[in-house]
Amino acid sequence: MIQNFLKIAWRNLLKNKTFSLINISGLAIGMASAALIFLWIQNQLTFDRFHEKIDRIYVANNRDNFSGEKWAWNTTPKILAPTLKREFPEVEDYARITDATFFLSHGEKQIQAEGRFTDPGFFKIFSFPLLKGDANKALSGPDKIVLTEKLAKKLFGDADPMGKIVRIDSSDNMTVSGVLKDFPNNTTFSGEYLLPWHYMKKIQWDDEWWGNNSIKSILLLKAGTRQELFDKKIRDITIRHSAAGGSPATTEVFTQKFGDAWLYSRPVNGEYVGGRIEGVRLFIVIACFILLIACINFMNLSTARSEKRAREVGIRKVSGAARGNLIVQFISESILLSFIAGLIALLLVQINLGWFNQLVGRELFIDFSNMWSWLTGIAFIALTGLLAGSYPAFFLSSFRPVRVLKGAFRTGSSKLSARKVLVVLQFTFAITLIICTIIVKHQINYGLQRDSGYSREQLVYSLFQGDIAKNYELIKRELLSSGVAVSVTKTMSPITQRYSDGWGYEWAGATEADKKIDFIRLSSDADFVKTMGVKLISGRDIDIFNYATDSSAVLLNEASVKAMRLKDPVGQKITGENGEWTVVGIIKDFVFESPYGKVNPLMVLGPKSWFNVIHYKLNPARSTADNLKAAEQIFKKYNPEYPYQYHFADESYAEKFKEEQRSATLATLFAGLTIFISCLGLFGLATYMAENRVKEIGIRKVLGASVYSITSLLSADFLKLVIISFLIATPIAWYAMDHWLSSYDYRISIEWWVFVLACLLTMVIAVATVSFQSIKAALGNPVKSLRTE
């Protein structure tokens, strides 16, 4: 019986090639789009959840009140994790994690690579496979290093790296104690090597200050430990220990499940309640709707052709076929068509997967060697066929044979048919996506056009490495004297990134609450204003070379002056963790963090602070290539053991828009696919409508109707459906985008023209789709259409 059903299904598919092609194309594109999205969703939902002990792994977090708001953040003091292990028996092990960027060399091979400092407990907590070496000893001493497969290959080729020496920053020799399998693409961990925390102590980067929140603390709790009870116990640990050290704090400590940290990363009132999970939920909805729209095409075209299959149904019923058999037959046809579309979709996914990976910044793939991948794919195709064919199967099988065989059967054209509802649903979603896409792009452009407050043009920075810090004055002098740069300054972080912030500052008139104002911190020795191109509002720039007391000078931005309520800020004294600072100048607010966020209070501290970066403004009178070539020679002269590395500030600033631009590209892509699939179905319906009304069109032409009037007549019904869709989509899109925009401090207002543009765009596309068949029908020879009457 099944064989018979499939044979009939195949014959019907070949008999109606046009409609089969439209159905297969729509389903294939819809399935391919949904499959790509589901691959990304799977990647996100499995992020850091594959570890064997995942139900016992937690990340320590801080919570405190600042400027009247409760904040939460996941960087902690270095001393926290070992203290928790010592004081609380619930803690089985811990691993502190922080970034490490070093210059590695072996023989003639030299590589600048990023890695991580961590504790020996790393391999006890996480399930990352160690291909070579002993997990219990690999990070047990200050002179050991664990390499990833990729880095081991770069440094040693095919040779066994175990026990060999790797030199770090031309200063320390490390013995390779393990080879780690490369980190998968669904983990927060990255980098190409692991260094023991003992080495961090050796180079004096470790500290026991409870106010330095700079690393991540991962805890492995013992089986049976209840998170809520453990959190109550550890809540005041920072408060207790900082008070004992003479610098009392109000910061509370709590834990978050490590498996939840990736998806729930946005703190609201001190709790992680959202974040990437919102994007995952959104794309689940988008994938389902794209697939649903493709299925709606199948439903509409199948029911539209019902009159042509009505006689077949009548004859089968008279011959004794039960309704259940007819339902199985029609669903078999849809599943067969779905499997053909599924094979095409698989081909489309493989062709576009590389491009999609670049877009989402992941390495997604289909594991063809995994049986579950095949079973999931088959189930996905079968369910799609079942969804697409269910309504047509029940609809077609419900025909009454007496009416059908008498020729009295007509599907009719009621004002509210299921087919019209489905078309409205299709275009409602398509128009919603179009409106959202326009608003997202408008918001991105709004941020791009925002005045950053400093001059990014020809501004370059290099991180301190090797002897750059020691020879800074010589490098600066030669950059200026050679004409490579017009100004140079050193800072604690790049102008586009935050390395440090702090609170607890006091000044004349400050209240106890003012101690909880969080200030972003930068630093400079001299020429900060000139090099960065920021605007000096009052006072002067920091200049240690002409003002010896400027080692404790500080510049404030406008946001700081406002938060501190200073009427005459220049000359004011500010007391903080590094002693007393004197305000020498006020600079205009500039965008330091997100271009969509508010400008936070900022201090530019004098040389009494610390430095990690050299910024230099290239000479605009010379070409950039010549400037960089000359700069390389200067840096190599004073830092010969390291390659010259530089970053353009404008490129780093552009990175701030990457996430939003990715969202805009995805929205544009899926909005385009949605409207395309919807129009594909509309084209099929218009084709069938023109076939069904061919005699009516012939009569109208004989009676003198013009091509325009016939085209308008045939297009009007579809245009009405698009307008109804627009009216439904408008409030939905407005609500969704208003909610999305509320997360930005610097944002656009939703304007009326966005909705008008989306409506006109959709109407033009729909009319163009329908008009092709309408005009073709209107231009037909009425003699041919009426001759068979």
Side-chain angles (χ1 to χ4, degrees):
M1 185 180 289
I2 297 296
Q3 183 180 359
N4 185 51
F5 286 155
L6 292 174
K7 187 182 293 184
I8 294 170
W10 181 254
R11 287 173 180 171
N12 276 316
L13 190 148
L14 295 177
K15 181 181 177 182
N16 303 282
K17 294 183 178 65
T18 302
F19 289 99
S20 297
L21 180 61
I22 291 173
N23 273 331
I24 290 172
S25 300
L27 277 178
I29 294 171
M31 292 166 75
S33 302
L36 287 171
I37 296 173
F38 284 134
L39 281 173
W40 177 81
I41 290 170
Q42 180 199 35
N43 176 268
Q44 296 294 296
L45 292 178
T46 58
F47 235 84
D48 285 329
R49 292 174 181 260
F50 52 83
H51 301 287
E52 293 178 9
K53 303 173 183 176
I54 188 61
D55 59 325
R56 297 196 287 131
I57 305 174
Y58 293 83
V59 56
N61 285 263
N62 285 323
R63 184 190 289 129
D64 208 338
N65 290 296
F66 295 100
S67 305
E69 297 178 3
K70 185 167 282 189
W71 292 9
W73 66 99
N74 62 4
T75 50
T76 60
K78 300 181 181 74
I79 190 64
L80 175 65
T83 304
L84 287 171
K85 175 74 165 63
R86 186 175 64 251
E87 295 184 2
F88 297 93
E90 294 91 339
V91 180
E92 182 176 316
D93 216 327
Y94 66 87
R96 293 166 292 182
I97 298 167
T98 191
D99 296 345
T101 303
F102 288 107
F103 186 66
L104 309 182
S105 60
H106 174 76
E108 298 297 318
K109 294 182 179 178
Q110 300 177 327
I111 298 172
Q112 176 82 26
E114 293 186 2
R116 298 290 181 269
F117 283 108
T118 190
D119 290 291
F122 181 88
F123 289 113
K124 297 177 183 177
I125 296 173
F126 300 111
S127 304
F128 295 118
L130 195 63
L131 303 178
K132 293 182 179 181
D134 185 344
N136 295 317
K137 300 177 181 179
L139 296 169
S140 60
D143 60 347
K144 295 184 178 182
I145 185 171
V146 176
L147 307 178
T148 61
E149 278 184 287
K150 185 178 179 180
L151 183 58
K153 186 78 172 176
K154 290 179 184 176
L155 287 172
F156 300 100
D158 296 327
D160 185 0
M162 293 298 293
K164 291 188 168 60
I165 301 299
V166 174
R167 193 161 178 79
I168 288 188
D169 273 4
S170 303
S171 57
D172 292 302
N173 290 326
M174 312 293 283
T175 302
V176 178
S177 57
V179 177
L180 180 69
K181 188 174 182 179
D182 292 336
F183 290 115
N185 64 12
N186 58 340
T187 180
T188 49
F189 292 103
S190 59
E192 297 185 276
Y193 56 89
L194 297 176
L195 287 170
W197 204 266
H198 300 290
Y199 182 66
M200 196 165 182
K201 289 182 178 180
K202 178 182 176 181
I203 59 178
Q204 299 181 347
W205 286 8
D206 192 21
D207 66 72
E208 297 186 352
W209 180 34
W210 285 88
N212 182 11
N213 297 289
S214 57
I215 60 106
K216 288 188 178 181
S217 299
I218 310 298
L219 307 174
L220 178 66
L221 301 186
K222 291 180 180 177
T225 301
R226 293 176 58 185
Q227 182 186 5
E228 61 273 16
L229 296 179
F230 179 69
D231 281 358
K232 286 181 180 178
K233 288 184 178 182
I234 68 171
R235 182 169 56 193
D236 65 345
I237 186 169
T238 298
I239 297 172
R240 287 190 289 105
H241 283 277
S242 60
S247 53
T250 58
T251 302
E252 297 179 350
V253 176
F254 69 101
T255 62
Q256 182 187 22
K257 291 181 179 179
F258 183 71
D260 292 343
W262 174 258
L263 293 175
Y264 297 89
S265 57
R266 182 168 60 85
V268 176
N269 197 29
E271 300 286 344
Y272 293 108
V273 297
R276 296 179 182 90
I277 187 64
E278 295 166 356
V280 170
R281 290 168 182 160
L282 173 63
F283 278 101
I284 288 175
V285 172
I286 289 175
C288 290
F289 266 101
I290 288 177
L291 194 60
L292 181 61
I293 285 173
C295 291
I296 287 173
N297 275 356
F298 184 92
M299 295 177 190
N300 276 342
L301 290 175
S302 296
T303 55
R305 293 174 55 242
S306 58
E307 289 186 28
K308 290 193 174 184
R309 301 204 67 179
R311 190 173 296 275
E312 173 193 342
V313 172
I315 292 172
R316 286 183 177 276
K317 282 194 170 184
V318 169
S319 301
R323 187 183 181 190
N325 290 339
L326 293 173
I327 290 173
V328 172
Q329 178 196 326
F330 292 130
I331 287 180
S332 298
E333 290 182 17
S334 67
I335 291 178
L336 174 63
L337 190 143
S338 179
F339 267 93
I340 296 171
L343 293 174
I344 297 172
L346 180 61
L347 181 62
L348 291 174
V349 168
Q350 288 298 108
I351 291 172
N352 292 284
L353 195 54
W355 172 83
F356 188 73
N357 281 339
Q358 289 182 344
L359 180 61
V360 299
R362 291 279 173 259
E363 294 180 9
L364 309 177
F365 64 95
I366 300 175
D367 186 1
F368 290 105
S369 63
N370 190 328
M371 180 186 69
W372 289 106
S373 296
W374 286 101
L375 292 177
T376 302
I378 292 170
F380 173 68
I381 292 171
L383 286 173
T384 301
L386 192 63
L387 175 64
S390 56
Y391 173 66
F394 283 95
F395 178 77
L396 292 170
S397 64
S398 67
F399 295 165
R400 303 175 72 176
V402 175
R403 293 186 61 200
V404 169
L405 296 177
K406 279 184 176 181
F409 173 79
R410 290 287 184 274
T411 56
S413 56
S414 64
K415 291 184 178 180
L416 184 62
S417 65
R419 197 179 309 146
K420 290 179 180 179
V421 171
L422 292 174
V423 170
V424 167
L425 181 61
Q426 277 185 313
F427 276 90
T428 296
F429 184 66
I431 294 170
T432 301
L433 272 182
I434 290 173
I435 293 172
C436 293
T437 301
I438 295 171
I439 292 174
V440 168
K441 284 184 171 291
H442 190 30
Q443 170 68 7
I444 291 173
N445 290 334
Y446 190 63
L448 285 167
Q449 293 167 6
R450 183 181 185 181
D451 182 10
S452 63
Y454 63 95
S455 175
R456 304 188 300 274
E457 188 178 356
Q458 296 294 304
L459 181 59
V460 181
Y461 64 87
S462 298
L463 303 179
F464 278 5
Q465 289 181 312
D467 294 333
I468 291 179
K470 183 177 71 175
N471 294 326
Y472 166 74
E473 299 298 337
L474 296 172
I475 293 171
K476 176 179 180 178
R477 187 180 304 123
E478 196 157 336
L479 285 172
L480 294 171
S481 63
S482 65
V484 170
V486 294
S487 61
V488 180
T489 189
K490 59 181 176 178
T491 60
M492 70 170 65
S493 72
I495 189 68
T496 55
Q497 297 177 43
R498 176 206 287 219
Y499 277 14
S500 176
D501 64 306
W503 57 90
Y505 291 96
E506 297 181 73
W507 57 90
T511 64
E512 193 65 26
D514 289 333
K515 291 183 179 180
K516 302 309 292 289
I517 297 175
D518 186 53
F519 292 88
I520 299 170
R521 294 184 293 208
L522 263 174
S523 59
S524 175
D525 60 333
D527 291 330
F528 180 85
V529 171
K530 184 179 180 181
T531 305
M532 304 302 184
V534 299
K535 184 177 180 181
L536 187 66
I537 295 175
S538 62
R540 60 174 177 81
D541 195 0
I542 296 172
D543 189 352
I544 190 64
F545 303 106
N546 292 312
Y547 300 91
T549 57
D550 271 9
S551 60
S552 58
V554 61
L555 298 173
L556 299 178
N557 69 347
E558 294 172 294
S560 292
V561 174
K562 183 179 179 180
M564 297 166 73
R565 304 180 304 281
L566 299 176
K567 293 183 179 179
D568 187 17
V570 177
Q572 289 276 355
K573 305 292 184 181
I574 301 174
T575 305
E577 61 192 41
N578 290 328
E580 189 176 75
W581 303 86
T582 302
V583 179
V584 298
I586 307 301
I587 56 176
K588 188 175 179 61
D589 286 343
F590 64 89
V591 178
F592 187 70
E593 297 178 288
S594 170
Y596 302 106
K598 64 181 181 181
V599 177
N600 293 309
L602 176 139
M603 294 180 173
V604 181
L605 306 172
K608 193 167 67 172
S609 58
W610 64 95
F611 302 98
N612 297 302
V613 184
I614 174 174
H615 285 82
Y616 38 106
K617 191 81 166 181
L618 298 180
N619 188 348
R622 299 169 39 148
S623 71
T624 302
D626 289 343
N627 281 330
L628 292 176
K629 186 176 180 180
E632 181 178 12
Q633 294 174 351
I634 294 169
F635 275 87
K636 289 292 287 183
K637 177 180 177 181
Y638 296 105
N639 192 33
E641 298 295 327
Y642 292 81
Y644 171 56
Q645 295 185 320
Y646 60 90
H647 308 271
F648 283 99
D650 56 354
E651 292 178 356
S652 297
Y653 187 79
E655 288 287 318
K656 297 177 182 290
F657 297 91
K658 184 172 285 186
E659 195 65 36
E660 282 75 15
Q661 287 173 331
R662 180 180 293 141
S663 298
T665 304
L666 286 170
T668 303
L669 171 65
F670 295 126
L673 287 172
T674 302
I675 198 73
F676 176 77
I677 296 170
S678 299
C679 287
L680 203 61
L682 206 61
F683 179 82
L685 287 175
T687 302
Y688 183 75
M689 176 195 66
E691 288 180 3
N692 266 14
R693 301 178 70 176
V694 66
K695 291 183 176 62
E696 176 193 344
I697 294 169
I699 293 170
R700 288 181 180 275
K701 289 194 72 175
V702 169
L703 295 176
S706 65
V707 172
Y708 173 77
S709 64
I710 293 174
T711 302
S712 301
L713 174 70
L714 297 177
S715 304
D717 286 343
F718 293 111
L719 208 54
K720 289 175 186 176
L721 298 179
V722 172
I723 292 172
I724 293 171
S725 301
F726 168 74
L727 294 175
I728 297 172
T730 296
I732 296 172
W734 181 88
Y735 176 80
M737 285 293 95
D738 184 64
H739 177 72
W740 180 72
L741 287 170
S742 66
S743 62
Y744 296 99
D745 294 302
Y746 186 77
R747 59 180 181 266
I748 61 170
S749 298
I750 301 177
E751 300 180 49
W752 62 269
W753 63 263
V754 172
F755 302 98
V756 174
L757 178 61
C759 181
L760 291 175
L761 187 62
T762 309
M763 288 174 67
V764 168
I765 294 171
V767 169
T769 303
V770 175
S771 294
F772 176 80
Q773 283 299 330
S774 300
I775 293 171
K776 182 180 177 183
L779 290 174
N781 188 344
V783 175
K784 291 183 179 180
S785 59
L786 297 175
R787 188 164 46 192
T788 57
E789 190 61 51

